[in-house]
Amino acid sequence: MHFVRAGQGAPPILFVHGFACSLDDWKFQFDFFSKTNEVISCDLRGHGRTPGRPQECSIEHYGGDVAALIMNLELEKTILVGHSMGCRVVLEAARLVPKRVAGLVLIDGSRNATSDPDAAEKGARATVEKMGYAAFAEALFRQMFFKPSAQADAIVARAVKSSAEFGPELWPRVTRWDAGSMDAAFAAIRAPVLAIQSTTRNAQLLRAPLKPGDTSPWLDFLKGFPNVRTEIVADTGHFTMLEQPETVNRLIEEFCR
């Protein structure tokens, strides 16, 4: 597993990227928090500079990899920060090494399915096959941004190219995990959780920005867990930590305190 590590100070903060992304997406957080905390950011299997065969790419494997990284680096009272798919990964990792985790930050999380894991996986796979993976990934990532920019174009292009091999296998597995494991993963968490949310998504995977006071099926789901606090970052796309880094850094900093 490729990872980068810098800084000193407690609590250590470990950043986990999303689907078809990389540790580079945490550049603003890594630079900011390395001045005061030990910070670690990793590339998940098949992503960035970490090798991984498509059949190895799953939330279960990713959670195990992050948990192993925590153990190998001997991290204590760690703050786990995940973005998008990375929210699922840090939940899975925290379930495996609960005594090493002091808190979780979930940035613009979501849920693809809520019941019947077999049907959920089958449906996601059928959608990808019907569209063709390249078109599916292009559409999925393009609507994560509400304003055109060179950064948005680069992220979309990176996602489509980098995930061509593992994406058709990983996306249905993510959906299966959502349907079959997400409830138990949240129920197992005893540490405090901060959910930083900027978008909502409908059944067709189309995103819309949130405003203060808005709710969504995802936010309603989070309300069922007493240890979860939510913060809305308004009028921002899915990559909250890149589009509103100062706000995200402030919220994580306050959470760490």
Side-chain angles (χ1 to χ4, degrees):
M1 173 183 263
H2 173 69
F3 68 93
V4 291
R5 187 183 194 186
Q8 295 180 351
I13 308 174
L14 198 164
F15 297 95
V16 180
H17 63 75
F19 178 84
C21 296
S22 82
L23 60 79
D24 294 335
D25 296 341
W26 299 109
K27 58 186 179 181
F28 296 123
Q29 289 67 47
F30 202 86
D31 290 346
F32 180 84
F33 286 102
S34 63
K35 299 168 185 174
T36 54
N37 298 72
E38 179 180 10
V39 290
I40 306 96
S41 187
C42 62
D43 283 332
L44 300 171
R45 295 190 200 200
H47 293 73
R49 290 190 243 172
T50 299
R53 295 174 295 179
Q55 61 266 35
E56 299 173 343
C57 296
S58 69
I59 300 302
E60 291 83 357
H61 275 137
Y62 291 157
D65 291 341
V66 171
L69 182 62
I70 292 169
M71 296 299 292
N72 288 337
L73 297 181
E74 300 181 346
L75 303 179
E76 300 284 353
K77 298 181 179 178
T78 314
I79 303 295
L80 296 179
V81 184
H83 170 240
S84 196
M85 183 189 77
C87 297
R88 300 156 169 91
V89 176
V90 298
L91 284 163
E92 187 73 21
R95 183 159 59 162
L96 295 172
V97 289
K99 294 182 180 179
R100 300 266 180 164
V101 176
L104 294 92
V105 180
L106 312 179
I107 298 181
D108 219 43
S110 63
R111 190 174 192 180
N112 292 348
T114 58
S115 63
D116 195 343
D118 290 338
E121 181 179 1
K122 184 178 179 180
R125 198 173 295 277
T127 298
V128 171
E129 291 174 353
K130 181 179 180 180
M131 294 182 65
Y133 180 72
F136 170 82
E138 172 84 27
L140 180 71
F141 273 82
R142 185 62 64 184
Q143 47 78 41
M144 293 178 181
F145 301 92
F146 305 131
K147 300 174 184 176
S149 69
Q151 176 175 260
D153 291 341
I155 288 175
V156 173
R158 178 191 67 179
V160 174
K161 181 179 179 180
S162 69
S163 64
E165 190 172 349
F166 67 78
E169 295 299 323
L170 176 56
W171 182 261
R173 290 185 190 133
V174 171
T175 303
R176 181 183 185 88
W177 188 91
D178 285 5
S181 300
M182 182 174 280
D183 289 295
F186 267 102
I189 300 301
R190 297 293 176 264
V193 179
L194 170 64
I196 301 173
Q197 199 69 20
S198 54
T199 75
T200 184
R201 204 176 62 177
N202 65 17
Q204 288 71 46
L205 305 181
L206 297 176
R207 290 187 185 272
L210 289 170
K211 295 185 181 299
D214 285 353
T215 191
S216 68
W218 172 248
L219 292 175
D220 289 340
F221 170 70
L222 295 180
K223 290 175 184 176
F225 301 95
N227 55 334
V228 179
R229 178 170 66 88
T230 60
E231 292 282 351
I232 290 177
V233 180
D235 301 317
T236 302
H238 180 52
F239 283 77
T240 326
M241 68 286 195
L242 288 172
E243 297 182 45
Q244 296 287 347
E246 294 86 1
T247 300
V248 169
N249 292 348
R250 174 180 58 79
L251 290 170
I252 295 175
E253 186 177 39
E254 291 171 355
F255 180 72
C256 287
R257 291 202 196 105

PDB file of all heavy atoms in Angstrom, residues 135-169:
ATOM      1  N   ALA A 135     -18.778   5.258 -20.182  1.00  0.00           N
ATOM      2  CA  ALA A 135     -19.881   6.228 -20.183  1.00  0.00           C
ATOM      3  C   ALA A 135     -20.481   6.356 -18.781  1.00  0.00           C
ATOM      4  O   ALA A 135     -20.848   7.460 -18.361  1.00  0.00           O
ATOM      5  CB  ALA A 135     -20.950   5.793 -21.178  1.00  0.00           C
ATOM      6  N   PHE A 136     -20.576   5.237 -18.077  1.00  0.00           N
ATOM      7  CA  PHE A 136     -21.101   5.269 -16.712  1.00  0.00           C
ATOM      8  C   PHE A 136     -20.214   6.130 -15.817  1.00  0.00           C
ATOM      9  O   PHE A 136     -20.710   6.994 -15.076  1.00  0.00           O
ATOM     10  CB  PHE A 136     -21.181   3.842 -16.156  1.00  0.00           C
ATOM     11  CG  PHE A 136     -21.486   3.785 -14.677  1.00  0.00           C
ATOM     12  CD1 PHE A 136     -22.786   3.905 -14.223  1.00  0.00           C
ATOM     13  CD2 PHE A 136     -20.462   3.618 -13.748  1.00  0.00           C
ATOM     14  CE1 PHE A 136     -23.072   3.857 -12.860  1.00  0.00           C
ATOM     15  CE2 PHE A 136     -20.740   3.570 -12.387  1.00  0.00           C
ATOM     16  CZ  PHE A 136     -22.045   3.690 -11.944  1.00  0.00           C
ATOM     17  N   ALA A 137     -18.908   5.904 -15.869  1.00  0.00           N
ATOM     18  CA  ALA A 137     -17.991   6.654 -15.016  1.00  0.00           C
ATOM     19  C   ALA A 137     -17.974   8.129 -15.374  1.00  0.00           C
ATOM     20  O   ALA A 137     -17.934   8.999 -14.500  1.00  0.00           O
ATOM     21  CB  ALA A 137     -16.586   6.054 -15.120  1.00  0.00           C
ATOM     22  N   GLU A 138     -18.007   8.433 -16.665  1.00  0.00           N
ATOM     23  CA  GLU A 138     -18.041   9.829 -17.114  1.00  0.00           C
ATOM     24  C   GLU A 138     -19.267  10.535 -16.552  1.00  0.00           C
ATOM     25  O   GLU A 138     -19.181  11.646 -16.009  1.00  0.00           O
ATOM     26  CB  GLU A 138     -18.049   9.879 -18.640  1.00  0.00           C
ATOM     27  CG  GLU A 138     -18.272  11.254 -19.234  1.00  0.00           C
ATOM     28  CD  GLU A 138     -17.016  12.094 -19.341  1.00  0.00           C
ATOM     29  OE1 GLU A 138     -15.918  11.511 -19.454  1.00  0.00           O
ATOM     30  OE2 GLU A 138     -17.129  13.333 -19.299  1.00  0.00           O
ATOM     31  N   ALA A 139     -20.435   9.893 -16.666  1.00  0.00           N
ATOM     32  CA  ALA A 139     -21.672  10.499 -16.173  1.00  0.00           C
ATOM     33  C   ALA A 139     -21.659  10.621 -14.660  1.00  0.00           C
ATOM     34  O   ALA A 139     -22.089  11.632 -14.095  1.00  0.00           O
ATOM     35  CB  ALA A 139     -22.865   9.666 -16.628  1.00  0.00           C
ATOM     36  N   LEU A 140     -21.159   9.592 -13.987  1.00  0.00           N
ATOM     37  CA  LEU A 140     -21.114   9.583 -12.531  1.00  0.00           C
ATOM     38  C   LEU A 140     -20.284  10.746 -11.998  1.00  0.00           C
ATOM     39  O   LEU A 140     -20.713  11.463 -11.080  1.00  0.00           O
ATOM     40  CB  LEU A 140     -20.526   8.258 -12.039  1.00  0.00           C
ATOM     41  CG  LEU A 140     -20.406   8.076 -10.527  1.00  0.00           C
ATOM     42  CD1 LEU A 140     -21.773   7.893  -9.892  1.00  0.00           C
ATOM     43  CD2 LEU A 140     -19.504   6.877 -10.207  1.00  0.00           C
ATOM     44  N   PHE A 141     -19.124  10.953 -12.579  1.00  0.00           N
ATOM     45  CA  PHE A 141     -18.221  11.982 -12.064  1.00  0.00           C
ATOM     46  C   PHE A 141     -18.552  13.374 -12.579  1.00  0.00           C
ATOM     47  O   PHE A 141     -18.368  14.354 -11.847  1.00  0.00           O
ATOM     48  CB  PHE A 141     -16.765  11.621 -12.397  1.00  0.00           C
ATOM     49  CG  PHE A 141     -16.134  10.734 -11.370  1.00  0.00           C
ATOM     50  CD1 PHE A 141     -16.342   9.372 -11.396  1.00  0.00           C
ATOM     51  CD2 PHE A 141     -15.358  11.258 -10.347  1.00  0.00           C
ATOM     52  CE1 PHE A 141     -15.794   8.538 -10.449  1.00  0.00           C
ATOM     53  CE2 PHE A 141     -14.805  10.450  -9.382  1.00  0.00           C
ATOM     54  CZ  PHE A 141     -15.014   9.076  -9.421  1.00  0.00           C
ATOM     55  N   ARG A 142     -19.057  13.482 -13.793  1.00  0.00           N
ATOM     56  CA  ARG A 142     -19.328  14.813 -14.343  1.00  0.00           C
ATOM     57  C   ARG A 142     -20.344  15.560 -13.498  1.00  0.00           C
ATOM     58  O   ARG A 142     -20.216  16.761 -13.269  1.00  0.00           O
ATOM     59  CB  ARG A 142     -19.815  14.672 -15.787  1.00  0.00           C
ATOM     60  CG  ARG A 142     -20.032  15.973 -16.517  1.00  0.00           C
ATOM     61  CD  ARG A 142     -18.749  16.788 -16.661  1.00  0.00           C
ATOM     62  NE  ARG A 142     -17.746  16.114 -17.473  1.00  0.00           N
ATOM     63  CZ  ARG A 142     -16.525  16.617 -17.665  1.00  0.00           C
ATOM     64  NH1 ARG A 142     -16.173  17.762 -17.087  1.00  0.00           N
ATOM     65  NH2 ARG A 142     -15.647  15.976 -18.408  1.00  0.00           N
ATOM     66  N   GLN A 143     -21.370  14.843 -12.985  1.00  0.00           N
ATOM     67  CA  GLN A 143     -22.405  15.536 -12.215  1.00  0.00           C
ATOM     68  C   GLN A 143     -22.025  15.731 -10.746  1.00  0.00           C
ATOM     69  O   GLN A 143     -22.842  16.205  -9.964  1.00  0.00           O
ATOM     70  CB  GLN A 143     -23.745  14.818 -12.351  1.00  0.00           C
ATOM     71  CG  GLN A 143     -23.718  13.316 -12.166  1.00  0.00           C
ATOM     72  CD  GLN A 143     -23.635  12.885 -10.727  1.00  0.00           C
ATOM     73  OE1 GLN A 143     -24.284  13.470  -9.888  1.00  0.00           O
ATOM     74  NE2 GLN A 143     -22.842  11.874 -10.438  1.00  0.00           N
ATOM     75  N   MET A 144     -20.783  15.399 -10.401  1.00  0.00           N
ATOM     76  CA  MET A 144     -20.304  15.697  -9.047  1.00  0.00           C
ATOM     77  C   MET A 144     -19.908  17.164  -8.905  1.00  0.00           C
ATOM     78  O   MET A 144     -19.672  17.649  -7.797  1.00  0.00           O
ATOM     79  CB  MET A 144     -19.105  14.815  -8.698  1.00  0.00           C
ATOM     80  CG  MET A 144     -19.436  13.344  -8.568  1.00  0.00           C
ATOM     81  SD  MET A 144     -17.956  12.358  -8.215  1.00  0.00           S
ATOM     82  CE  MET A 144     -18.648  10.708  -8.144  1.00  0.00           C
ATOM     83  N   PHE A 145     -19.814  17.854 -10.030  1.00  0.00           N
ATOM     84  CA  PHE A 145     -19.395  19.255 -10.026  1.00  0.00           C
ATOM     85  C   PHE A 145     -20.520  20.116 -10.582  1.00  0.00           C
ATOM     86  O   PHE A 145     -21.145  19.768 -11.580  1.00  0.00           O
ATOM     87  CB  PHE A 145     -18.133  19.435 -10.880  1.00  0.00           C
ATOM     88  CG  PHE A 145     -16.975  18.612 -10.402  1.00  0.00           C
ATOM     89  CD1 PHE A 145     -16.752  17.339 -10.918  1.00  0.00           C
ATOM     90  CD2 PHE A 145     -16.120  19.091  -9.420  1.00  0.00           C
ATOM     91  CE1 PHE A 145     -15.685  16.565 -10.472  1.00  0.00           C
ATOM     92  CE2 PHE A 145     -15.055  18.325  -8.970  1.00  0.00           C
ATOM     93  CZ  PHE A 145     -14.845  17.056  -9.494  1.00  0.00           C
ATOM     94  N   PHE A 146     -20.765  21.247  -9.939  1.00  0.00           N
ATOM     95  CA  PHE A 146     -21.835  22.143 -10.365  1.00  0.00           C
ATOM     96  C   PHE A 146     -21.314  23.358 -11.124  1.00  0.00           C
ATOM     97  O   PHE A 146     -22.096  24.126 -11.683  1.00  0.00           O
ATOM     98  CB  PHE A 146     -22.642  22.591  -9.142  1.00  0.00           C
ATOM     99  CG  PHE A 146     -23.170  21.427  -8.340  1.00  0.00           C
ATOM    100  CD1 PHE A 146     -23.000  21.376  -6.962  1.00  0.00           C
ATOM    101  CD2 PHE A 146     -23.817  20.369  -8.956  1.00  0.00           C
ATOM    102  CE1 PHE A 146     -23.479  20.316  -6.222  1.00  0.00           C
ATOM    103  CE2 PHE A 146     -24.302  19.295  -8.227  1.00  0.00           C
ATOM    104  CZ  PHE A 146     -24.135  19.269  -6.853  1.00  0.00           C
ATOM    105  N   LYS A 147     -20.002  23.531 -11.139  1.00  0.00           N
ATOM    106  CA  LYS A 147     -19.381  24.626 -11.873  1.00  0.00           C
ATOM    107  C   LYS A 147     -18.244  24.056 -12.712  1.00  0.00           C
ATOM    108  O   LYS A 147     -17.419  23.306 -12.201  1.00  0.00           O
ATOM    109  CB  LYS A 147     -18.835  25.694 -10.913  1.00  0.00           C
ATOM    110  CG  LYS A 147     -19.888  26.336 -10.016  1.00  0.00           C
ATOM    111  CD  LYS A 147     -19.238  27.268  -9.010  1.00  0.00           C
ATOM    112  CE  LYS A 147     -20.281  27.848  -8.046  1.00  0.00           C
ATOM    113  NZ  LYS A 147     -19.642  28.691  -7.000  1.00  0.00           N
ATOM    114  N   PRO A 148     -18.185  24.396 -13.998  1.00  0.00           N
ATOM    115  CA  PRO A 148     -17.088  23.893 -14.831  1.00  0.00           C
ATOM    116  C   PRO A 148     -15.749  24.468 -14.383  1.00  0.00           C
ATOM    117  O   PRO A 148     -15.664  25.632 -13.968  1.00  0.00           O
ATOM    118  CB  PRO A 148     -17.460  24.369 -16.242  1.00  0.00           C
ATOM    119  CG  PRO A 148     -18.368  25.539 -16.021  1.00  0.00           C
ATOM    120  CD  PRO A 148     -19.111  25.266 -14.748  1.00  0.00           C
ATOM    121  N   SER A 149     -14.723  23.650 -14.428  1.00  0.00           N
ATOM    122  CA  SER A 149     -13.380  24.102 -14.060  1.00  0.00           C
ATOM    123  C   SER A 149     -12.355  23.109 -14.591  1.00  0.00           C
ATOM    124  O   SER A 149     -12.683  21.955 -14.891  1.00  0.00           O
ATOM    125  CB  SER A 149     -13.229  24.207 -12.536  1.00  0.00           C
ATOM    126  OG  SER A 149     -13.249  22.920 -11.938  1.00  0.00           O
ATOM    127  N   ALA A 150     -11.109  23.570 -14.673  1.00  0.00           N
ATOM    128  CA  ALA A 150     -10.029  22.679 -15.096  1.00  0.00           C
ATOM    129  C   ALA A 150      -9.851  21.548 -14.087  1.00  0.00           C
ATOM    130  O   ALA A 150      -9.555  20.405 -14.463  1.00  0.00           O
ATOM    131  CB  ALA A 150      -8.732  23.471 -15.255  1.00  0.00           C
ATOM    132  N   GLN A 151     -10.046  21.856 -12.805  1.00  0.00           N
ATOM    133  CA  GLN A 151      -9.918  20.833 -11.764  1.00  0.00           C
ATOM    134  C   GLN A 151     -10.976  19.754 -11.951  1.00  0.00           C
ATOM    135  O   GLN A 151     -10.671  18.555 -11.853  1.00  0.00           O
ATOM    136  CB  GLN A 151     -10.060  21.461 -10.379  1.00  0.00           C
ATOM    137  CG  GLN A 151     -10.037  20.453  -9.239  1.00  0.00           C
ATOM    138  CD  GLN A 151     -10.067  21.125  -7.874  1.00  0.00           C
ATOM    139  OE1 GLN A 151      -9.036  21.274  -7.221  1.00  0.00           O
ATOM    140  NE2 GLN A 151     -11.237  21.525  -7.433  1.00  0.00           N
ATOM    141  N   ALA A 152     -12.205  20.154 -12.224  1.00  0.00           N
ATOM    142  CA  ALA A 152     -13.273  19.182 -12.448  1.00  0.00           C
ATOM    143  C   ALA A 152     -12.957  18.300 -13.653  1.00  0.00           C
ATOM    144  O   ALA A 152     -13.106  17.071 -13.593  1.00  0.00           O
ATOM    145  CB  ALA A 152     -14.598  19.901 -12.649  1.00  0.00           C
ATOM    146  N   ASP A 153     -12.524  18.905 -14.750  1.00  0.00           N
ATOM    147  CA  ASP A 153     -12.191  18.130 -15.948  1.00  0.00           C
ATOM    148  C   ASP A 153     -11.096  17.121 -15.658  1.00  0.00           C
ATOM    149  O   ASP A 153     -11.146  15.976 -16.122  1.00  0.00           O
ATOM    150  CB  ASP A 153     -11.743  19.064 -17.077  1.00  0.00           C
ATOM    151  CG  ASP A 153     -12.882  19.914 -17.622  1.00  0.00           C
ATOM    152  OD1 ASP A 153     -14.056  19.550 -17.392  1.00  0.00           O
ATOM    153  OD2 ASP A 153     -12.591  20.931 -18.276  1.00  0.00           O
ATOM    154  N   ALA A 154     -10.088  17.533 -14.880  1.00  0.00           N
ATOM    155  CA  ALA A 154      -8.974  16.635 -14.567  1.00  0.00           C
ATOM    156  C   ALA A 154      -9.423  15.462 -13.704  1.00  0.00           C
ATOM    157  O   ALA A 154      -8.991  14.325 -13.914  1.00  0.00           O
ATOM    158  CB  ALA A 154      -7.860  17.417 -13.868  1.00  0.00           C
ATOM    159  N   ILE A 155     -10.297  15.724 -12.746  1.00  0.00           N
ATOM    160  CA  ILE A 155     -10.774  14.656 -11.861  1.00  0.00           C
ATOM    161  C   ILE A 155     -11.633  13.659 -12.631  1.00  0.00           C
ATOM    162  O   ILE A 155     -11.514  12.444 -12.445  1.00  0.00           O
ATOM    163  CB  ILE A 155     -11.538  15.253 -10.671  1.00  0.00           C
ATOM    164  CG1 ILE A 155     -10.555  15.940  -9.717  1.00  0.00           C
ATOM    165  CG2 ILE A 155     -12.316  14.172  -9.931  1.00  0.00           C
ATOM    166  CD1 ILE A 155     -11.210  16.668  -8.565  1.00  0.00           C
ATOM    167  N   VAL A 156     -12.495  14.155 -13.513  1.00  0.00           N
ATOM    168  CA  VAL A 156     -13.330  13.264 -14.325  1.00  0.00           C
ATOM    169  C   VAL A 156     -12.460  12.393 -15.222  1.00  0.00           C
ATOM    170  O   VAL A 156     -12.640  11.167 -15.297  1.00  0.00           O
ATOM    171  CB  VAL A 156     -14.341  14.070 -15.162  1.00  0.00           C
ATOM    172  CG1 VAL A 156     -15.085  13.146 -16.127  1.00  0.00           C
ATOM    173  CG2 VAL A 156     -15.330  14.804 -14.262  1.00  0.00           C
ATOM    174  N   ALA A 157     -11.493  13.012 -15.897  1.00  0.00           N
ATOM    175  CA  ALA A 157     -10.618  12.258 -16.805  1.00  0.00           C
ATOM    176  C   ALA A 157      -9.812  11.214 -16.043  1.00  0.00           C
ATOM    177  O   ALA A 157      -9.660  10.073 -16.501  1.00  0.00           O
ATOM    178  CB  ALA A 157      -9.688  13.220 -17.548  1.00  0.00           C
ATOM    179  N   ARG A 158      -9.300  11.594 -14.888  1.00  0.00           N
ATOM    180  CA  ARG A 158      -8.536  10.652 -14.060  1.00  0.00           C
ATOM    181  C   ARG A 158      -9.392   9.463 -13.657  1.00  0.00           C
ATOM    182  O   ARG A 158      -8.960   8.311 -13.721  1.00  0.00           O
ATOM    183  CB  ARG A 158      -8.013  11.360 -12.809  1.00  0.00           C
ATOM    184  CG  ARG A 158      -7.246  10.459 -11.844  1.00  0.00           C
ATOM    185  CD  ARG A 158      -6.986  11.142 -10.515  1.00  0.00           C
ATOM    186  NE  ARG A 158      -8.220  11.388  -9.765  1.00  0.00           N
ATOM    187  CZ  ARG A 158      -8.250  11.964  -8.565  1.00  0.00           C
ATOM    188  NH1 ARG A 158      -7.135  12.387  -8.000  1.00  0.00           N
ATOM    189  NH2 ARG A 158      -9.407  12.149  -7.946  1.00  0.00           N
ATOM    190  N   ALA A 159     -10.618   9.747 -13.227  1.00  0.00           N
ATOM    191  CA  ALA A 159     -11.502   8.685 -12.750  1.00  0.00           C
ATOM    192  C   ALA A 159     -11.820   7.684 -13.853  1.00  0.00           C
ATOM    193  O   ALA A 159     -11.743   6.470 -13.648  1.00  0.00           O
ATOM    194  CB  ALA A 159     -12.783   9.294 -12.202  1.00  0.00           C
ATOM    195  N   VAL A 160     -12.184   8.186 -15.029  1.00  0.00           N
ATOM    196  CA  VAL A 160     -12.559   7.303 -16.134  1.00  0.00           C
ATOM    197  C   VAL A 160     -11.380   6.429 -16.549  1.00  0.00           C
ATOM    198  O   VAL A 160     -11.526   5.213 -16.745  1.00  0.00           O
ATOM    199  CB  VAL A 160     -13.078   8.122 -17.331  1.00  0.00           C
ATOM    200  CG1 VAL A 160     -13.333   7.222 -18.540  1.00  0.00           C
ATOM    201  CG2 VAL A 160     -14.352   8.875 -16.949  1.00  0.00           C
ATOM    202  N   LYS A 161     -10.212   7.029 -16.651  1.00  0.00           N
ATOM    203  CA  LYS A 161      -9.028   6.294 -17.116  1.00  0.00           C
ATOM    204  C   LYS A 161      -8.519   5.316 -16.059  1.00  0.00           C
ATOM    205  O   LYS A 161      -8.250   4.146 -16.352  1.00  0.00           O
ATOM    206  CB  LYS A 161      -7.924   7.287 -17.496  1.00  0.00           C
ATOM    207  CG  LYS A 161      -6.665   6.611 -18.019  1.00  0.00           C
ATOM    208  CD  LYS A 161      -5.607   7.641 -18.405  1.00  0.00           C
ATOM    209  CE  LYS A 161      -4.335   6.955 -18.912  1.00  0.00           C
ATOM    210  NZ  LYS A 161      -3.294   7.962 -19.284  1.00  0.00           N
ATOM    211  N   SER A 162      -8.409   5.783 -14.826  1.00  0.00           N
ATOM    212  CA  SER A 162      -7.745   4.970 -13.800  1.00  0.00           C
ATOM    213  C   SER A 162      -8.578   3.782 -13.346  1.00  0.00           C
ATOM    214  O   SER A 162      -8.040   2.773 -12.879  1.00  0.00           O
ATOM    215  CB  SER A 162      -7.405   5.839 -12.583  1.00  0.00           C
ATOM    216  OG  SER A 162      -8.580   6.236 -11.883  1.00  0.00           O
ATOM    217  N   SER A 163      -9.910   3.878 -13.481  1.00  0.00           N
ATOM    218  CA  SER A 163     -10.778   2.826 -12.947  1.00  0.00           C
ATOM    219  C   SER A 163     -11.314   1.887 -14.015  1.00  0.00           C
ATOM    220  O   SER A 163     -12.175   1.047 -13.720  1.00  0.00           O
ATOM    221  CB  SER A 163     -11.948   3.459 -12.192  1.00  0.00           C
ATOM    222  OG  SER A 163     -12.766   4.225 -13.069  1.00  0.00           O
ATOM    223  N   ALA A 164     -10.804   1.999 -15.243  1.00  0.00           N
ATOM    224  CA  ALA A 164     -11.351   1.193 -16.336  1.00  0.00           C
ATOM    225  C   ALA A 164     -11.310  -0.295 -16.030  1.00  0.00           C
ATOM    226  O   ALA A 164     -12.229  -1.045 -16.399  1.00  0.00           O
ATOM    227  CB  ALA A 164     -10.596   1.490 -17.627  1.00  0.00           C
ATOM    228  N   GLU A 165     -10.277  -0.740 -15.335  1.00  0.00           N
ATOM    229  CA  GLU A 165     -10.121  -2.174 -15.070  1.00  0.00           C
ATOM    230  C   GLU A 165     -10.914  -2.620 -13.845  1.00  0.00           C
ATOM    231  O   GLU A 165     -11.647  -3.605 -13.881  1.00  0.00           O
ATOM    232  CB  GLU A 165      -8.636  -2.513 -14.896  1.00  0.00           C
ATOM    233  CG  GLU A 165      -8.358  -4.010 -14.869  1.00  0.00           C
ATOM    234  CD  GLU A 165      -6.878  -4.334 -14.882  1.00  0.00           C
ATOM    235  OE1 GLU A 165      -6.053  -3.418 -15.121  1.00  0.00           O
ATOM    236  OE2 GLU A 165      -6.540  -5.505 -14.633  1.00  0.00           O
ATOM    237  N   PHE A 166     -10.771  -1.888 -12.724  1.00  0.00           N
ATOM    238  CA  PHE A 166     -11.410  -2.345 -11.486  1.00  0.00           C
ATOM    239  C   PHE A 166     -12.818  -1.789 -11.279  1.00  0.00           C
ATOM    240  O   PHE A 166     -13.620  -2.366 -10.550  1.00  0.00           O
ATOM    241  CB  PHE A 166     -10.547  -2.009 -10.266  1.00  0.00           C
ATOM    242  CG  PHE A 166     -10.417  -0.543  -9.974  1.00  0.00           C
ATOM    243  CD1 PHE A 166     -11.429   0.169  -9.342  1.00  0.00           C
ATOM    244  CD2 PHE A 166      -9.255   0.148 -10.312  1.00  0.00           C
ATOM    245  CE1 PHE A 166     -11.313   1.528  -9.065  1.00  0.00           C
ATOM    246  CE2 PHE A 166      -9.119   1.502 -10.035  1.00  0.00           C
ATOM    247  CZ  PHE A 166     -10.165   2.185  -9.411  1.00  0.00           C
ATOM    248  N   GLY A 167     -13.142  -0.669 -11.904  1.00  0.00           N
ATOM    249  CA  GLY A 167     -14.417  -0.005 -11.669  1.00  0.00           C
ATOM    250  C   GLY A 167     -15.649  -0.870 -11.889  1.00  0.00           C
ATOM    251  O   GLY A 167     -16.572  -0.869 -11.064  1.00  0.00           O
ATOM    252  N   PRO A 168     -15.713  -1.636 -13.009  1.00  0.00           N
ATOM    253  CA  PRO A 168     -16.898  -2.454 -13.237  1.00  0.00           C
ATOM    254  C   PRO A 168     -17.130  -3.517 -12.156  1.00  0.00           C
ATOM    255  O   PRO A 168     -18.267  -3.970 -11.976  1.00  0.00           O
ATOM    256  CB  PRO A 168     -16.605  -3.121 -14.592  1.00  0.00           C
ATOM    257  CG  PRO A 168     -15.638  -2.197 -15.265  1.00  0.00           C
ATOM    258  CD  PRO A 168     -14.793  -1.646 -14.164  1.00  0.00           C
ATOM    259  N   GLU A 169     -16.085  -3.905 -11.452  1.00  0.00           N
ATOM    260  CA  GLU A 169     -16.221  -4.864 -10.365  1.00  0.00           C
ATOM    261  C   GLU A 169     -16.457  -4.169  -9.025  1.00  0.00           C
ATOM    262  O   GLU A 169     -17.266  -4.618  -8.207  1.00  0.00           O
ATOM    263  CB  GLU A 169     -14.966  -5.743 -10.265  1.00  0.00           C
ATOM    264  CG  GLU A 169     -14.740  -6.625 -11.462  1.00  0.00           C
ATOM    265  CD  GLU A 169     -15.886  -7.608 -11.679  1.00  0.00           C
ATOM    266  OE1 GLU A 169     -16.434  -8.117 -10.678  1.00  0.00           O
ATOM    267  OE2 GLU A 169     -16.252  -7.838 -12.852  1.00  0.00           O
TER     268      GLU A 169
END
